[in-house]
Amino acid sequence: MGRRLLTCLTSVAVGLAGLVASASSQAEGSAGYTAPSPRQHVDLDGGWRFVRADAAGAESPTFDDSAWAAVTVPHTWNAKDGEDGGNNYYRGIGWYRRHYTPPPTVAGQKLWLQFDGADTVTDVWVNGTHLGQHQGGFARFRFDATDALVPGGDAVIAVRVSNARDAGIAPLSGDFTMFGGLYRDVSLEVTDPLSIRMLDYAGPGVYLRQRSVSSASATVDVTTKVWNNSGTTRHTRVRTVVTDATGAVVADTSTATRAVAAHTGDQVTQTVSLTNPHRWNGRADPYLYQANVELRDVDSGAVTDEVTEPLGLRSFGLAPDSGFALNGSHLALHGVNLHQDRLDQGWAVSAAEHTQDFDLMDEMGVNAIRTAHYQQSQQVYGLADRRGYLVWSEIPVINSVTDSAAFTANAVQQLRELIRQDYNHPSVAFWGIGNEQGQDNAATNALLKTLADTVTAEDPDRISTYAHAGGDGSNLITHTATAGFNKYYGWYGGALPDFGSWADTLHANQPSRAIAVSEYGAGASIYQHQDNPPTPVWNSGWHPEEYQALFHESYWTQIQSRQYLWGTFVWNMFDFASDGRNEGDTPGRNDKGLVTYDRATRKDAFYWYKANWTATPFVYLTSRRFTDRADATTTVKVYGTVDSARLTVNGAAVGGAVTSTDHRYRWANVTLAKGPNTITVTGTRGGATYTDTATWTYTPS
């Protein structure tokens, strides 16, 4: 069953001993608070030169890069070849260089180069000085650049990135393209030498552990890691101010004065308590407080650093029979898997594009996401916090492992980065340690046990999980508190009804195990259509959109009657690049998305879930893109949320009003006239009318 209790309260433990500095005081309903801003953030996304090759000596400030391409970060060198099929996209070395002159005002400050994401191995130099190397393609990382950057002087920042496969770094493989480059933002972070710690796996240095949360009260331990980078002892005081959504102070507490020796750190834990807290309650009410932590130099009286983190007060848990509960109430997790790439962009996406993705998920009624198969942008987790999504976030231990100390150390590093960087996001409920390992052997199980133990040490309050594609009796699913199963009956084999019988058998045979469905789905081309299609050959060029809709109709019908499935996650929300695939209408693409790769078209199955997962009134004509017809007789099927619907063909009514108990409205044996036919469905609900129209052209063969 796993080594941890399934009933969990919220987040944040750093796995390190901390001192409780003082009791909290509450200032419910007091005046507003404005956080000080001693830090500076400098955007370094512009002004880069790039070459997709190794370049001997490019770390030198005198190197001539005038022939290189001018680029702006976020950037990837696989935007085209990583999505066109053939499994031959460039996996190697690329170089980036840019000039930067720190202003004289940063003299005496600490200067940190921050990379929000670079794939996979990144080396950084400033003026020829090697700052360090980061291994892993998905986490934020920072280097101390203070000694290499001279205020007022020109500096050359040189970055060498390689997305080549490395046996010591996860993932070794995956059914998606590994886009190389500096594909997230780059910045310079400027802090006082006395600051909240910057090099704690690039985490915020402030960690909010919710000890108890109920409608009556909430207790939160606020652990702050302080670091004194100056050459003398500093006397410090940490103040934590919790503010509500209006900015009013609801808790305010300070530590006693503490001495922090030169070039050492300190850690304090403060406890704050709130009465009658406004809880974060998923999509229904994603209410957020903020925890504002100030670090003060007692001798000068100055606030030298400040960090603000989201605080969503909630409790959650799992039960083998009743599934997931949020704040003590059952919540069915209507989830999707989410990759981070875009058509012709790869992983180099903008904040606005992440927002568009959430807008589409909001429209469909999604309330949970799995960030398959890797840590995603802070923008994704921030949007999930603010919009009320529950998140399963995982590291890229995929398909296979290397039985080596280096691979284990890298997997643990990526897991610690994931947990510490995302610790304070109330949306995150699950830490995933891997996906679809192909071998149930000693090396794989040893690694998974190490990773599960790391979750427990880092964050004993959240739920560890693993996504499994093998047999139900596998040892691979025994290390985490729960497991998800990737099931594709009716696509990669078997028949659609097999899903329900599999789930019931597993639940009956292992009644104490809480189980989820971490993946299920089928491919679909919006250009390929067929009435009543049989199961396609999955790796063929024929993926009719109608079959995907039938697949999801069948699965959701089976899922919704099985409350013991604590969460189910459609594979996938959006089409995405997998350069090794050659199927459907486009080489290099996994077309199981409910929305096309360019986000321009919602497939029929999107509206099936919208009908089941939202109360939005609408009607939608399925097979609307099946515009050229060879048969005169067809069935018209509509998804919707209306009380009744009526159909007209070329202005003539077809039968009477149709009602539905399952959001499907059907008219069989509808006859099309030769040539174009205007198909119109009109639904009514609460006195309002909703209409959808398509044009189908019948051409006799």
Side-chain angles (χ1 to χ4, degrees):
M1 178 61 228
R3 301 172 180 270
R4 300 176 52 222
L5 294 175
L6 289 181
T7 301
C8 297
L9 291 172
T10 51
S11 51
V12 187
V14 293
L16 298 171
L19 298 174
V20 176
S22 68
S24 68
S25 62
Q26 183 149 348
E28 192 74 49
S30 64
Y33 166 82
T34 300
S37 302
R39 287 191 183 186
Q40 300 175 53
H41 170 88
V42 181
D43 182 342
L44 296 180
D45 284 349
W48 292 91
R49 293 275 184 175
F50 166 74
V51 65
R52 196 181 79 170
D54 200 359
E59 72 276 10
S60 171
T62 60
F63 182 88
D64 182 5
D65 60 16
S66 60
W68 293 10
V71 300
T72 299
V73 171
H75 175 265
T76 178
W77 58 68
N78 299 120
K80 295 293 188 179
D81 69 345
E83 65 179 35
D84 63 359
N87 203 29
N88 56 354
Y89 65 101
Y90 180 75
R91 296 196 68 174
I93 295 168
W95 277 89
Y96 298 84
R97 285 168 51 92
R98 67 155 289 165
H99 290 256
Y100 173 66
T101 301
T105 54
V106 303
Q109 301 288 87
K110 292 292 291 184
L111 308 178
W112 313 89
L113 276 176
Q114 177 169 297
F115 298 81
D116 289 350
D119 187 40
T120 302
V121 177
T122 307
D123 287 272
V124 180
W125 291 263
V126 173
N127 283 338
T129 298
H130 187 235
L131 300 188
Q133 181 183 89
H134 181 263
Q135 298 183 350
F138 305 103
R140 180 175 64 205
F141 56 96
R142 299 177 179 134
F143 294 120
D144 185 348
T146 309
D147 294 338
L149 287 169
V150 178
D154 179 59
V156 175
I157 303 169
V159 185
R160 179 185 186 270
V161 187
S162 173
N163 68 334
R165 184 183 184 275
D166 189 315
I169 302 173
L172 301 179
S173 64
D175 187 11
F176 57 93
T177 298
M178 291 286 293
F179 292 94
L182 297 178
Y183 70 87
R184 293 188 192 139
D185 295 328
V186 179
S187 62
L188 180 72
E189 307 298 319
V190 182
T191 70
D192 190 272
L194 179 63
S195 70
I196 294 170
R197 192 172 184 188
M198 295 290 286
L199 297 182
D200 187 35
Y201 291 90
V206 171
Y207 303 94
L208 312 174
R209 184 177 188 183
Q210 301 180 35
R211 288 292 186 177
S212 63
V213 175
S214 70
S215 60
S217 65
T219 301
V220 182
D221 288 348
V222 181
T223 296
T224 303
K225 298 184 178 184
V226 175
W227 200 266
N228 178 12
N229 286 290
S230 65
T232 60
T233 296
R234 306 284 286 271
H235 296 91
T236 68
R237 182 175 296 129
V238 175
R239 178 191 182 198
T240 294
V241 180
V242 178
T243 53
D244 66 15
T246 71
V249 175
V250 296
D252 188 342
T253 183
S254 296
T255 67
T257 299
R258 299 169 64 85
V260 185
H263 305 298
T264 62
D266 189 25
Q267 179 171 307
V268 298
T269 298
Q270 300 164 282
T271 299
V272 296
S273 298
L274 283 71
T275 58
N276 303 316
H278 191 154
R279 287 180 290 180
W280 187 92
N281 199 35
R283 291 287 305 275
D285 187 9
Y287 188 88
L288 290 174
Y289 294 88
Q290 288 188 322
N292 311 273
V293 177
E294 302 174 4
L295 175 61
R296 186 176 297 273
D297 182 336
V298 174
D299 297 325
S300 70
V303 174
T304 61
D305 202 6
E306 191 276 339
V307 168
T308 297
E309 289 292 293
L311 176 60
L313 297 168
R314 79 284 187 269
S315 61
F316 56 81
L318 296 180
D321 290 325
S322 57
F324 184 81
L326 178 65
N327 297 325
S329 298
H330 174 261
L331 178 65
L333 296 185
H334 301 157
V336 295
N337 286 271
L338 191 66
H339 270 291
Q340 64 184 1
D341 54 310
R342 286 261 179 156
L343 180 67
D344 299 332
Q345 296 175 235
W347 291 342
V349 298
S350 68
E353 287 164 334
H354 287 307
T355 299
Q356 183 191 26
D357 286 353
F358 273 80
D359 289 344
L360 286 162
M361 292 188 291
D362 283 355
E363 179 187 345
M364 198 177 83
V366 177
N367 68 2
I369 56 175
R370 175 177 173 230
T371 59
H373 297 290
Y374 40 76
Q375 182 174 348
Q376 297 195 14
S377 166
Q378 284 297 303
Q379 296 156 353
V380 170
Y381 300 103
L383 283 162
D385 293 342
R386 295 189 295 274
R387 300 203 183 188
Y389 287 67
L390 277 298
V391 177
W392 165 337
S393 193
E394 67 189 33
I395 58 170
V397 176
I398 305 166
N399 296 345
S400 61
V401 306
T402 301
D403 186 8
S404 72
F407 187 90
T408 297
N410 178 259
V412 170
Q413 168 208 308
Q414 293 197 53
L415 182 57
R416 286 191 174 131
E417 288 171 332
L418 173 75
I419 294 175
R420 297 201 191 181
Q421 291 174 27
D422 302 329
Y423 202 98
N424 297 330
H425 290 292
S427 56
V428 178
F430 304 92
W431 299 124
I433 66 169
N435 175 75
E436 290 193 355
Q437 289 301 305
Q439 290 188 294
D440 183 2
N441 58 17
T444 305
N445 282 286
L447 175 64
L448 294 180
K449 181 182 184 304
T450 295
L451 294 172
D453 290 346
T454 300
V455 171
T456 301
E458 290 282 324
D459 186 358
D461 303 315
R462 284 193 177 93
I463 302 169
S464 62
T465 188
Y466 170 77
H468 182 58
D472 297 344
S474 172
N475 294 311
L476 299 173
I477 61 175
T478 64
H479 307 289
T480 50
T482 186
F485 293 80
N486 300 344
K487 292 296 175 183
Y488 292 90
Y489 295 113
W491 186 250
Y492 291 126
L496 293 174
D498 294 343
F499 171 78
S501 58
W502 159 79
D504 290 342
T505 299
L506 175 61
H507 183 54
N509 291 341
Q510 302 182 38
S512 63
R513 182 182 299 281
I515 59 176
V517 180
S518 37
E519 296 179 18
Y520 68 102
S525 166
I526 61 171
Y527 306 108
Q528 298 174 351
H529 301 281
Q530 184 178 6
D531 275 332
N532 301 313
T535 303
V537 177
W538 70 267
N539 57 356
S540 73
W542 185 246
H543 287 180
E545 185 178 9
E546 286 72 18
Y547 184 79
Q548 185 193 52
L550 292 173
F551 179 102
H552 285 290
E553 288 177 24
S554 176
Y555 265 69
W556 179 246
T557 300
Q558 296 173 77
I559 286 168
Q560 63 182 336
S561 63
R562 292 171 168 85
Q563 185 170 292
Y564 61 79
L565 295 173
W566 61 255
T568 55
F569 298 81
V570 174
W571 189 269
N572 200 280
M573 183 65 200
F574 306 104
D575 290 349
F576 62 93
S578 182
D579 201 50
R581 284 186 175 254
N582 185 16
E583 61 194 65
D585 62 38
T586 304
R589 185 161 311 164
N590 190 316
D591 64 354
K592 296 185 185 69
L594 303 179
V595 178
T596 53
Y597 198 14
D598 60 5
R599 276 51 171 183
T601 304
R602 301 156 177 83
K603 301 179 187 179
D604 284 357
F606 174 100
Y607 291 94
W608 167 245
Y609 286 110
K610 180 178 179 178
N612 282 277
W613 291 355
T614 79
T616 305
F618 76 99
V619 288
Y620 172 82
L621 274 164
T622 68
S623 293
R624 65 192 308 104
R625 285 170 285 275
F626 192 178
T627 56
D628 296 320
R629 304 276 180 142
D631 296 321
T633 302
T634 189
T635 295
V636 176
K637 180 174 64 177
V638 168
Y639 298 146
T641 55
V642 292
D643 298 329
S644 64
R646 295 179 181 272
L647 177 69
T648 64
V649 176
N650 298 322
V654 178
V658 172
T659 60
S660 175
T661 59
D662 64 2
H663 303 291
R664 290 176 286 193
Y665 309 80
R666 296 183 181 86
W667 293 263
N669 300 315
V670 175
T671 301
L672 304 178
K674 183 179 178 180
N677 292 261
T678 301
I679 314 298
T680 302
V681 61
T682 302
T684 57
R685 177 172 147 186
T689 299
Y690 305 90
T691 301
D692 196 20
T693 299
T695 300
W696 297 342
T697 299
Y698 166 52
T699 304
S701 56

